[in-house]
Amino acid sequence: MRKRETPVGATLPGETEDQDPRFVTALARGLNVLRSFKRGDRALGNQELADRTGLAKSTISRLTYTLSKLGYLEYSPMNGQYSLSAAALALGFSALGNLAIRDVARPLMQELADRVGASVALGAPDQRTMIYIEECRGSSPLHLGIEIGSHIKMATSAMGRAYLASLDPASRSRIVDVLCDHEPDSEGIRAGIGTAVSEYATHGYVRSVGEWKQEINSVGVPILLHGSRPFALNCGGSALSLPKEKLDEVGEQLQDVARRIRQALGSD
């Protein structure tokens, strides 16, 4: 039987609004509408937004009307659809600009990308995915086709598994339950994450061999900073340019990059 899908904006178990009287549901719903727009979406109608958020279409209609009046959405009377406005995009660029870790990490990531000949990315958790906030490419002509702002699965990517492996067991278990509720092979997902946790405990990095995408290998490490959100690094490429036998060597180099980032930010 197909498992029930949780809407895009759903919170994780233990973080629902009915447990916190300070939680403003209307605001959360409006923000979830904005979050529903993904890279490559030119415009979305109210029905599509209702499907993505799990909210009633009548509720979506009120939210999109309000967001357009506030200037965060642009409405096209030609097709009856909405798109993100420059004001909404400015929020994202402002957030990126305020992330000091990007300025520190970029040269170190590019150095590794050039040395290994693969892509190196920096990401942060975003619900059930990891979102790329910086990306550097090596000399290989084959690239993953992922850019800043792109989302990748937390459950099967090296970056996502590195983040999960760094969590305390209770927090990790809670998130894994949500992730498995959206994957047909929940047992395989749990096994893969369990392997990643063991790898991280033993080596300090995790690997994904063709699990995120077939013929793509990658290695990931978390970046744990004092008083900050968690981040993670990965280095990935085709199985030809980054064979399985090379992942341990790259993992150690990625660990060094993470350590140097922590040092530069005063967290080591």
Side-chain angles (χ1 to χ4, degrees), residues 52-90:
R52 292 190 181 190
T53 61
L55 297 173
K57 188 178 178 181
S58 58
T59 300
I60 290 293
S61 297
R62 294 194 297 273
L63 291 171
T64 52
Y65 175 82
T66 303
L67 289 168
S68 64
K69 286 296 183 181
L70 292 173
Y72 293 110
L73 291 180
E74 292 183 353
Y75 176 71
S76 171
M78 297 291 292
N79 56 21
Q81 294 184 320
Y82 294 87
S83 58
L84 291 177
S85 70
L89 296 176

PDB file of all heavy atoms in Angstrom, residues 52-90:
ATOM      1  N   ARG A  52       1.114  20.634  -3.757  1.00  0.00           N
ATOM      2  CA  ARG A  52       2.452  20.599  -3.169  1.00  0.00           C
ATOM      3  C   ARG A  52       2.449  20.865  -1.672  1.00  0.00           C
ATOM      4  O   ARG A  52       3.310  20.365  -0.948  1.00  0.00           O
ATOM      5  CB  ARG A  52       3.360  21.613  -3.865  1.00  0.00           C
ATOM      6  CG  ARG A  52       3.671  21.252  -5.316  1.00  0.00           C
ATOM      7  CD  ARG A  52       4.757  22.141  -5.895  1.00  0.00           C
ATOM      8  NE  ARG A  52       5.029  21.801  -7.292  1.00  0.00           N
ATOM      9  CZ  ARG A  52       6.059  22.284  -7.989  1.00  0.00           C
ATOM     10  NH1 ARG A  52       6.905  23.118  -7.417  1.00  0.00           N
ATOM     11  NH2 ARG A  52       6.228  21.943  -9.256  1.00  0.00           N
ATOM     12  N   THR A  53       1.515  21.657  -1.216  1.00  0.00           N
ATOM     13  CA  THR A  53       1.480  22.005   0.209  1.00  0.00           C
ATOM     14  C   THR A  53       0.523  21.155   1.021  1.00  0.00           C
ATOM     15  O   THR A  53       0.636  21.082   2.244  1.00  0.00           O
ATOM     16  CB  THR A  53       1.075  23.484   0.399  1.00  0.00           C
ATOM     17  OG1 THR A  53      -0.235  23.672  -0.155  1.00  0.00           O
ATOM     18  CG2 THR A  53       2.067  24.413  -0.285  1.00  0.00           C
ATOM     19  N   GLY A  54      -0.453  20.527   0.344  1.00  0.00           N
ATOM     20  CA  GLY A  54      -1.462  19.769   1.068  1.00  0.00           C
ATOM     21  C   GLY A  54      -2.568  20.637   1.631  1.00  0.00           C
ATOM     22  O   GLY A  54      -3.413  20.155   2.389  1.00  0.00           O
ATOM     23  N   LEU A  55      -2.578  21.917   1.277  1.00  0.00           N
ATOM     24  CA  LEU A  55      -3.615  22.835   1.751  1.00  0.00           C
ATOM     25  C   LEU A  55      -4.784  22.872   0.779  1.00  0.00           C
ATOM     26  O   LEU A  55      -4.630  22.565  -0.405  1.00  0.00           O
ATOM     27  CB  LEU A  55      -3.041  24.246   1.907  1.00  0.00           C
ATOM     28  CG  LEU A  55      -1.917  24.411   2.935  1.00  0.00           C
ATOM     29  CD1 LEU A  55      -1.337  25.816   2.855  1.00  0.00           C
ATOM     30  CD2 LEU A  55      -2.433  24.118   4.343  1.00  0.00           C
ATOM     31  N   ALA A  56      -5.933  23.275   1.274  1.00  0.00           N
ATOM     32  CA  ALA A  56      -7.111  23.395   0.413  1.00  0.00           C
ATOM     33  C   ALA A  56      -6.887  24.498  -0.618  1.00  0.00           C
ATOM     34  O   ALA A  56      -6.224  25.500  -0.341  1.00  0.00           O
ATOM     35  CB  ALA A  56      -8.344  23.716   1.258  1.00  0.00           C
ATOM     36  N   LYS A  57      -7.465  24.307  -1.793  1.00  0.00           N
ATOM     37  CA  LYS A  57      -7.284  25.292  -2.856  1.00  0.00           C
ATOM     38  C   LYS A  57      -7.828  26.654  -2.453  1.00  0.00           C
ATOM     39  O   LYS A  57      -7.261  27.698  -2.826  1.00  0.00           O
ATOM     40  CB  LYS A  57      -7.961  24.809  -4.143  1.00  0.00           C
ATOM     41  CG  LYS A  57      -7.662  25.685  -5.345  1.00  0.00           C
ATOM     42  CD  LYS A  57      -8.301  25.144  -6.616  1.00  0.00           C
ATOM     43  CE  LYS A  57      -8.041  26.064  -7.798  1.00  0.00           C
ATOM     44  NZ  LYS A  57      -8.683  25.561  -9.043  1.00  0.00           N
ATOM     45  N   SER A  58      -8.906  26.688  -1.689  1.00  0.00           N
ATOM     46  CA  SER A  58      -9.472  27.960  -1.238  1.00  0.00           C
ATOM     47  C   SER A  58      -8.490  28.703  -0.327  1.00  0.00           C
ATOM     48  O   SER A  58      -8.357  29.932  -0.391  1.00  0.00           O
ATOM     49  CB  SER A  58     -10.792  27.738  -0.508  1.00  0.00           C
ATOM     50  OG  SER A  58     -10.612  26.866   0.604  1.00  0.00           O
ATOM     51  N   THR A  59      -7.797  27.941   0.513  1.00  0.00           N
ATOM     52  CA  THR A  59      -6.785  28.539   1.386  1.00  0.00           C
ATOM     53  C   THR A  59      -5.627  29.071   0.553  1.00  0.00           C
ATOM     54  O   THR A  59      -5.124  30.179   0.792  1.00  0.00           O
ATOM     55  CB  THR A  59      -6.262  27.507   2.401  1.00  0.00           C
ATOM     56  OG1 THR A  59      -7.349  27.034   3.197  1.00  0.00           O
ATOM     57  CG2 THR A  59      -5.197  28.112   3.304  1.00  0.00           C
ATOM     58  N   ILE A  60      -5.191  28.279  -0.428  1.00  0.00           N
ATOM     59  CA  ILE A  60      -4.102  28.694  -1.308  1.00  0.00           C
ATOM     60  C   ILE A  60      -4.473  29.978  -2.044  1.00  0.00           C
ATOM     61  O   ILE A  60      -3.648  30.887  -2.192  1.00  0.00           O
ATOM     62  CB  ILE A  60      -3.769  27.581  -2.319  1.00  0.00           C
ATOM     63  CG1 ILE A  60      -3.114  26.405  -1.607  1.00  0.00           C
ATOM     64  CG2 ILE A  60      -2.868  28.096  -3.434  1.00  0.00           C
ATOM     65  CD1 ILE A  60      -1.736  26.718  -1.034  1.00  0.00           C
ATOM     66  N   SER A  61      -5.696  30.069  -2.509  1.00  0.00           N
ATOM     67  CA  SER A  61      -6.134  31.267  -3.239  1.00  0.00           C
ATOM     68  C   SER A  61      -5.981  32.523  -2.383  1.00  0.00           C
ATOM     69  O   SER A  61      -5.538  33.568  -2.869  1.00  0.00           O
ATOM     70  CB  SER A  61      -7.598  31.115  -3.679  1.00  0.00           C
ATOM     71  OG  SER A  61      -7.748  30.044  -4.578  1.00  0.00           O
ATOM     72  N   ARG A  62      -6.325  32.427  -1.113  1.00  0.00           N
ATOM     73  CA  ARG A  62      -6.188  33.588  -0.223  1.00  0.00           C
ATOM     74  C   ARG A  62      -4.715  33.906   0.029  1.00  0.00           C
ATOM     75  O   ARG A  62      -4.320  35.075   0.076  1.00  0.00           O
ATOM     76  CB  ARG A  62      -6.913  33.325   1.100  1.00  0.00           C
ATOM     77  CG  ARG A  62      -8.433  33.212   0.973  1.00  0.00           C
ATOM     78  CD  ARG A  62      -9.105  33.300   2.334  1.00  0.00           C
ATOM     79  NE  ARG A  62      -8.722  32.204   3.202  1.00  0.00           N
ATOM     80  CZ  ARG A  62      -9.331  31.021   3.239  1.00  0.00           C
ATOM     81  NH1 ARG A  62     -10.342  30.780   2.426  1.00  0.00           N
ATOM     82  NH2 ARG A  62      -8.928  30.079   4.071  1.00  0.00           N
ATOM     83  N   LEU A  63      -3.921  32.865   0.183  1.00  0.00           N
ATOM     84  CA  LEU A  63      -2.500  33.073   0.454  1.00  0.00           C
ATOM     85  C   LEU A  63      -1.779  33.680  -0.746  1.00  0.00           C
ATOM     86  O   LEU A  63      -0.975  34.608  -0.598  1.00  0.00           O
ATOM     87  CB  LEU A  63      -1.840  31.742   0.847  1.00  0.00           C
ATOM     88  CG  LEU A  63      -2.257  31.167   2.200  1.00  0.00           C
ATOM     89  CD1 LEU A  63      -1.715  29.752   2.371  1.00  0.00           C
ATOM     90  CD2 LEU A  63      -1.758  32.051   3.346  1.00  0.00           C
ATOM     91  N   THR A  64      -2.049  33.145  -1.950  1.00  0.00           N
ATOM     92  CA  THR A  64      -1.382  33.691  -3.131  1.00  0.00           C
ATOM     93  C   THR A  64      -1.823  35.117  -3.410  1.00  0.00           C
ATOM     94  O   THR A  64      -1.015  35.954  -3.838  1.00  0.00           O
ATOM     95  CB  THR A  64      -1.639  32.810  -4.366  1.00  0.00           C
ATOM     96  OG1 THR A  64      -3.055  32.584  -4.514  1.00  0.00           O
ATOM     97  CG2 THR A  64      -0.926  31.469  -4.248  1.00  0.00           C
ATOM     98  N   TYR A  65      -3.080  35.413  -3.149  1.00  0.00           N
ATOM     99  CA  TYR A  65      -3.566  36.791  -3.328  1.00  0.00           C
ATOM    100  C   TYR A  65      -2.815  37.732  -2.383  1.00  0.00           C
ATOM    101  O   TYR A  65      -2.335  38.798  -2.784  1.00  0.00           O
ATOM    102  CB  TYR A  65      -5.074  36.858  -3.058  1.00  0.00           C
ATOM    103  CG  TYR A  65      -5.626  38.262  -3.096  1.00  0.00           C
ATOM    104  CD1 TYR A  65      -5.940  38.862  -4.316  1.00  0.00           C
ATOM    105  CD2 TYR A  65      -5.831  38.996  -1.923  1.00  0.00           C
ATOM    106  CE1 TYR A  65      -6.449  40.162  -4.362  1.00  0.00           C
ATOM    107  CE2 TYR A  65      -6.329  40.287  -1.961  1.00  0.00           C
ATOM    108  CZ  TYR A  65      -6.632  40.868  -3.180  1.00  0.00           C
ATOM    109  OH  TYR A  65      -7.113  42.144  -3.220  1.00  0.00           O
ATOM    110  N   THR A  66      -2.697  37.320  -1.123  1.00  0.00           N
ATOM    111  CA  THR A  66      -2.008  38.148  -0.131  1.00  0.00           C
ATOM    112  C   THR A  66      -0.531  38.317  -0.485  1.00  0.00           C
ATOM    113  O   THR A  66       0.013  39.437  -0.412  1.00  0.00           O
ATOM    114  CB  THR A  66      -2.136  37.524   1.264  1.00  0.00           C
ATOM    115  OG1 THR A  66      -3.520  37.373   1.590  1.00  0.00           O
ATOM    116  CG2 THR A  66      -1.456  38.382   2.316  1.00  0.00           C
ATOM    117  N   LEU A  67       0.123  37.227  -0.869  1.00  0.00           N
ATOM    118  CA  LEU A  67       1.550  37.287  -1.204  1.00  0.00           C
ATOM    119  C   LEU A  67       1.802  38.139  -2.441  1.00  0.00           C
ATOM    120  O   LEU A  67       2.837  38.819  -2.541  1.00  0.00           O
ATOM    121  CB  LEU A  67       2.100  35.869  -1.410  1.00  0.00           C
ATOM    122  CG  LEU A  67       2.219  35.027  -0.139  1.00  0.00           C
ATOM    123  CD1 LEU A  67       2.484  33.565  -0.497  1.00  0.00           C
ATOM    124  CD2 LEU A  67       3.350  35.561   0.751  1.00  0.00           C
ATOM    125  N   SER A  68       0.868  38.126  -3.371  1.00  0.00           N
ATOM    126  CA  SER A  68       1.021  38.973  -4.554  1.00  0.00           C
ATOM    127  C   SER A  68       0.816  40.436  -4.183  1.00  0.00           C
ATOM    128  O   SER A  68       1.511  41.318  -4.694  1.00  0.00           O
ATOM    129  CB  SER A  68       0.043  38.553  -5.652  1.00  0.00           C
ATOM    130  OG  SER A  68      -1.299  38.733  -5.252  1.00  0.00           O
ATOM    131  N   LYS A  69      -0.114  40.727  -3.275  1.00  0.00           N
ATOM    132  CA  LYS A  69      -0.329  42.095  -2.830  1.00  0.00           C
ATOM    133  C   LYS A  69       0.881  42.622  -2.061  1.00  0.00           C
ATOM    134  O   LYS A  69       1.188  43.823  -2.097  1.00  0.00           O
ATOM    135  CB  LYS A  69      -1.575  42.173  -1.938  1.00  0.00           C
ATOM    136  CG  LYS A  69      -2.891  42.055  -2.699  1.00  0.00           C
ATOM    137  CD  LYS A  69      -3.073  43.226  -3.659  1.00  0.00           C
ATOM    138  CE  LYS A  69      -4.398  43.171  -4.377  1.00  0.00           C
ATOM    139  NZ  LYS A  69      -4.553  44.306  -5.331  1.00  0.00           N
ATOM    140  N   LEU A  70       1.572  41.715  -1.361  1.00  0.00           N
ATOM    141  CA  LEU A  70       2.764  42.104  -0.616  1.00  0.00           C
ATOM    142  C   LEU A  70       3.998  42.195  -1.504  1.00  0.00           C
ATOM    143  O   LEU A  70       5.060  42.648  -1.057  1.00  0.00           O
ATOM    144  CB  LEU A  70       3.017  41.104   0.521  1.00  0.00           C
ATOM    145  CG  LEU A  70       1.993  41.099   1.655  1.00  0.00           C
ATOM    146  CD1 LEU A  70       2.267  39.949   2.621  1.00  0.00           C
ATOM    147  CD2 LEU A  70       2.021  42.436   2.393  1.00  0.00           C
ATOM    148  N   GLY A  71       3.877  41.733  -2.738  1.00  0.00           N
ATOM    149  CA  GLY A  71       4.983  41.843  -3.678  1.00  0.00           C
ATOM    150  C   GLY A  71       5.903  40.651  -3.755  1.00  0.00           C
ATOM    151  O   GLY A  71       6.942  40.706  -4.424  1.00  0.00           O
ATOM    152  N   TYR A  72       5.549  39.526  -3.079  1.00  0.00           N
ATOM    153  CA  TYR A  72       6.420  38.349  -3.102  1.00  0.00           C
ATOM    154  C   TYR A  72       6.074  37.381  -4.235  1.00  0.00           C
ATOM    155  O   TYR A  72       6.874  36.515  -4.574  1.00  0.00           O
ATOM    156  CB  TYR A  72       6.355  37.620  -1.756  1.00  0.00           C
ATOM    157  CG  TYR A  72       6.962  38.432  -0.636  1.00  0.00           C
ATOM    158  CD1 TYR A  72       6.158  38.984   0.356  1.00  0.00           C
ATOM    159  CD2 TYR A  72       8.330  38.683  -0.589  1.00  0.00           C
ATOM    160  CE1 TYR A  72       6.703  39.756   1.373  1.00  0.00           C
ATOM    161  CE2 TYR A  72       8.887  39.444   0.416  1.00  0.00           C
ATOM    162  CZ  TYR A  72       8.066  39.990   1.394  1.00  0.00           C
ATOM    163  OH  TYR A  72       8.621  40.764   2.387  1.00  0.00           O
ATOM    164  N   LEU A  73       4.888  37.518  -4.792  1.00  0.00           N
ATOM    165  CA  LEU A  73       4.484  36.726  -5.947  1.00  0.00           C
ATOM    166  C   LEU A  73       4.010  37.671  -7.048  1.00  0.00           C
ATOM    167  O   LEU A  73       3.467  38.737  -6.775  1.00  0.00           O
ATOM    168  CB  LEU A  73       3.356  35.750  -5.594  1.00  0.00           C
ATOM    169  CG  LEU A  73       3.669  34.575  -4.675  1.00  0.00           C
ATOM    170  CD1 LEU A  73       2.418  33.729  -4.463  1.00  0.00           C
ATOM    171  CD2 LEU A  73       4.805  33.718  -5.230  1.00  0.00           C
ATOM    172  N   GLU A  74       4.220  37.241  -8.275  1.00  0.00           N
ATOM    173  CA  GLU A  74       3.701  37.976  -9.425  1.00  0.00           C
ATOM    174  C   GLU A  74       2.624  37.138 -10.100  1.00  0.00           C
ATOM    175  O   GLU A  74       2.841  35.949 -10.363  1.00  0.00           O
ATOM    176  CB  GLU A  74       4.824  38.292 -10.409  1.00  0.00           C
ATOM    177  CG  GLU A  74       5.834  39.296  -9.866  1.00  0.00           C
ATOM    178  CD  GLU A  74       6.894  39.644 -10.891  1.00  0.00           C
ATOM    179  OE1 GLU A  74       6.911  39.012 -11.974  1.00  0.00           O
ATOM    180  OE2 GLU A  74       7.715  40.533 -10.611  1.00  0.00           O
ATOM    181  N   TYR A  75       1.487  37.757 -10.362  1.00  0.00           N
ATOM    182  CA  TYR A  75       0.359  37.048 -10.959  1.00  0.00           C
ATOM    183  C   TYR A  75       0.270  37.362 -12.446  1.00  0.00           C
ATOM    184  O   TYR A  75       0.398  38.515 -12.871  1.00  0.00           O
ATOM    185  CB  TYR A  75      -0.942  37.456 -10.279  1.00  0.00           C
ATOM    186  CG  TYR A  75      -2.177  36.833 -10.892  1.00  0.00           C
ATOM    187  CD1 TYR A  75      -2.435  35.475 -10.737  1.00  0.00           C
ATOM    188  CD2 TYR A  75      -3.074  37.604 -11.621  1.00  0.00           C
ATOM    189  CE1 TYR A  75      -3.558  34.892 -11.300  1.00  0.00           C
ATOM    190  CE2 TYR A  75      -4.202  37.038 -12.193  1.00  0.00           C
ATOM    191  CZ  TYR A  75      -4.438  35.673 -12.029  1.00  0.00           C
ATOM    192  OH  TYR A  75      -5.546  35.104 -12.597  1.00  0.00           O
ATOM    193  N   SER A  76       0.062  36.309 -13.235  1.00  0.00           N
ATOM    194  CA  SER A  76      -0.116  36.484 -14.674  1.00  0.00           C
ATOM    195  C   SER A  76      -1.574  36.236 -15.029  1.00  0.00           C
ATOM    196  O   SER A  76      -2.050  35.095 -14.946  1.00  0.00           O
ATOM    197  CB  SER A  76       0.772  35.506 -15.457  1.00  0.00           C
ATOM    198  OG  SER A  76       0.445  35.539 -16.835  1.00  0.00           O
ATOM    199  N   PRO A  77      -2.311  37.270 -15.440  1.00  0.00           N
ATOM    200  CA  PRO A  77      -3.714  37.079 -15.822  1.00  0.00           C
ATOM    201  C   PRO A  77      -3.869  36.264 -17.100  1.00  0.00           C
ATOM    202  O   PRO A  77      -4.938  35.733 -17.376  1.00  0.00           O
ATOM    203  CB  PRO A  77      -4.216  38.521 -16.015  1.00  0.00           C
ATOM    204  CG  PRO A  77      -3.002  39.323 -16.306  1.00  0.00           C
ATOM    205  CD  PRO A  77      -1.897  38.686 -15.515  1.00  0.00           C
ATOM    206  N   MET A  78      -2.775  36.122 -17.856  1.00  0.00           N
ATOM    207  CA  MET A  78      -2.814  35.360 -19.105  1.00  0.00           C
ATOM    208  C   MET A  78      -3.045  33.874 -18.845  1.00  0.00           C
ATOM    209  O   MET A  78      -3.813  33.214 -19.547  1.00  0.00           O
ATOM    210  CB  MET A  78      -1.522  35.564 -19.892  1.00  0.00           C
ATOM    211  CG  MET A  78      -1.295  37.007 -20.343  1.00  0.00           C
ATOM    212  SD  MET A  78      -2.480  37.492 -21.600  1.00  0.00           S
ATOM    213  CE  MET A  78      -1.942  36.453 -22.974  1.00  0.00           C
ATOM    214  N   ASN A  79      -2.349  33.338 -17.834  1.00  0.00           N
ATOM    215  CA  ASN A  79      -2.484  31.905 -17.551  1.00  0.00           C
ATOM    216  C   ASN A  79      -2.995  31.614 -16.144  1.00  0.00           C
ATOM    217  O   ASN A  79      -3.131  30.453 -15.749  1.00  0.00           O
ATOM    218  CB  ASN A  79      -1.152  31.189 -17.778  1.00  0.00           C
ATOM    219  CG  ASN A  79      -0.019  31.788 -16.956  1.00  0.00           C
ATOM    220  OD1 ASN A  79      -0.248  32.454 -15.949  1.00  0.00           O
ATOM    221  ND2 ASN A  79       1.222  31.539 -17.376  1.00  0.00           N
ATOM    222  N   GLY A  80      -3.257  32.662 -15.363  1.00  0.00           N
ATOM    223  CA  GLY A  80      -3.775  32.461 -14.011  1.00  0.00           C
ATOM    224  C   GLY A  80      -2.784  31.812 -13.069  1.00  0.00           C
ATOM    225  O   GLY A  80      -3.181  31.143 -12.110  1.00  0.00           O
ATOM    226  N   GLN A  81      -1.492  32.020 -13.314  1.00  0.00           N
ATOM    227  CA  GLN A  81      -0.463  31.401 -12.488  1.00  0.00           C
ATOM    228  C   GLN A  81       0.393  32.450 -11.792  1.00  0.00           C
ATOM    229  O   GLN A  81       0.397  33.630 -12.155  1.00  0.00           O
ATOM    230  CB  GLN A  81       0.421  30.484 -13.347  1.00  0.00           C
ATOM    231  CG  GLN A  81      -0.320  29.277 -13.909  1.00  0.00           C
ATOM    232  CD  GLN A  81       0.617  28.361 -14.672  1.00  0.00           C
ATOM    233  OE1 GLN A  81       1.504  28.814 -15.395  1.00  0.00           O
ATOM    234  NE2 GLN A  81       0.408  27.056 -14.523  1.00  0.00           N
ATOM    235  N   TYR A  82       1.138  31.971 -10.795  1.00  0.00           N
ATOM    236  CA  TYR A  82       1.990  32.850  -9.997  1.00  0.00           C
ATOM    237  C   TYR A  82       3.456  32.448 -10.165  1.00  0.00           C
ATOM    238  O   TYR A  82       3.782  31.277 -10.368  1.00  0.00           O
ATOM    239  CB  TYR A  82       1.621  32.760  -8.517  1.00  0.00           C
ATOM    240  CG  TYR A  82       0.248  33.294  -8.190  1.00  0.00           C
ATOM    241  CD1 TYR A  82      -0.875  32.465  -8.273  1.00  0.00           C
ATOM    242  CD2 TYR A  82       0.070  34.613  -7.790  1.00  0.00           C
ATOM    243  CE1 TYR A  82      -2.139  32.958  -7.968  1.00  0.00           C
ATOM    244  CE2 TYR A  82      -1.189  35.104  -7.489  1.00  0.00           C
ATOM    245  CZ  TYR A  82      -2.288  34.271  -7.579  1.00  0.00           C
ATOM    246  OH  TYR A  82      -3.545  34.753  -7.286  1.00  0.00           O
ATOM    247  N   SER A  83       4.332  33.430 -10.047  1.00  0.00           N
ATOM    248  CA  SER A  83       5.777  33.174 -10.047  1.00  0.00           C
ATOM    249  C   SER A  83       6.410  34.008  -8.946  1.00  0.00           C
ATOM    250  O   SER A  83       5.837  35.017  -8.501  1.00  0.00           O
ATOM    251  CB  SER A  83       6.388  33.530 -11.403  1.00  0.00           C
ATOM    252  OG  SER A  83       6.141  34.891 -11.725  1.00  0.00           O
ATOM    253  N   LEU A  84       7.580  33.578  -8.491  1.00  0.00           N
ATOM    254  CA  LEU A  84       8.283  34.339  -7.464  1.00  0.00           C
ATOM    255  C   LEU A  84       8.715  35.690  -8.027  1.00  0.00           C
ATOM    256  O   LEU A  84       9.189  35.781  -9.154  1.00  0.00           O
ATOM    257  CB  LEU A  84       9.517  33.573  -6.979  1.00  0.00           C
ATOM    258  CG  LEU A  84       9.274  32.302  -6.170  1.00  0.00           C
ATOM    259  CD1 LEU A  84      10.603  31.641  -5.840  1.00  0.00           C
ATOM    260  CD2 LEU A  84       8.502  32.598  -4.893  1.00  0.00           C
ATOM    261  N   SER A  85       8.574  36.723  -7.235  1.00  0.00           N
ATOM    262  CA  SER A  85       8.966  38.066  -7.665  1.00  0.00           C
ATOM    263  C   SER A  85      10.415  38.332  -7.286  1.00  0.00           C
ATOM    264  O   SER A  85      11.059  37.550  -6.569  1.00  0.00           O
ATOM    265  CB  SER A  85       8.075  39.111  -7.002  1.00  0.00           C
ATOM    266  OG  SER A  85       8.370  39.170  -5.610  1.00  0.00           O
ATOM    267  N   ALA A  86      10.928  39.463  -7.744  1.00  0.00           N
ATOM    268  CA  ALA A  86      12.291  39.859  -7.400  1.00  0.00           C
ATOM    269  C   ALA A  86      12.429  40.053  -5.894  1.00  0.00           C
ATOM    270  O   ALA A  86      13.487  39.786  -5.316  1.00  0.00           O
ATOM    271  CB  ALA A  86      12.661  41.143  -8.135  1.00  0.00           C
ATOM    272  N   ALA A  87      11.352  40.485  -5.225  1.00  0.00           N
ATOM    273  CA  ALA A  87      11.401  40.692  -3.780  1.00  0.00           C
ATOM    274  C   ALA A  87      11.630  39.372  -3.051  1.00  0.00           C
ATOM    275  O   ALA A  87      12.394  39.300  -2.081  1.00  0.00           O
ATOM    276  CB  ALA A  87      10.109  41.337  -3.299  1.00  0.00           C
ATOM    277  N   ALA A  88      10.964  38.303  -3.513  1.00  0.00           N
ATOM    278  CA  ALA A  88      11.158  36.993  -2.888  1.00  0.00           C
ATOM    279  C   ALA A  88      12.563  36.476  -3.149  1.00  0.00           C
ATOM    280  O   ALA A  88      13.209  35.916  -2.258  1.00  0.00           O
ATOM    281  CB  ALA A  88      10.124  36.001  -3.422  1.00  0.00           C
ATOM    282  N   LEU A  89      13.053  36.661  -4.371  1.00  0.00           N
ATOM    283  CA  LEU A  89      14.398  36.213  -4.706  1.00  0.00           C
ATOM    284  C   LEU A  89      15.437  36.977  -3.899  1.00  0.00           C
ATOM    285  O   LEU A  89      16.472  36.422  -3.515  1.00  0.00           O
ATOM    286  CB  LEU A  89      14.654  36.397  -6.207  1.00  0.00           C
ATOM    287  CG  LEU A  89      13.771  35.563  -7.137  1.00  0.00           C
ATOM    288  CD1 LEU A  89      14.061  35.913  -8.592  1.00  0.00           C
ATOM    289  CD2 LEU A  89      13.986  34.078  -6.903  1.00  0.00           C
ATOM    290  N   ALA A  90      15.170  38.234  -3.636  1.00  0.00           N
ATOM    291  CA  ALA A  90      16.118  39.047  -2.870  1.00  0.00           C
ATOM    292  C   ALA A  90      16.318  38.491  -1.465  1.00  0.00           C
ATOM    293  O   ALA A  90      17.413  38.580  -0.902  1.00  0.00           O
ATOM    294  CB  ALA A  90      15.623  40.494  -2.796  1.00  0.00           C
TER     295      ALA A  90
END
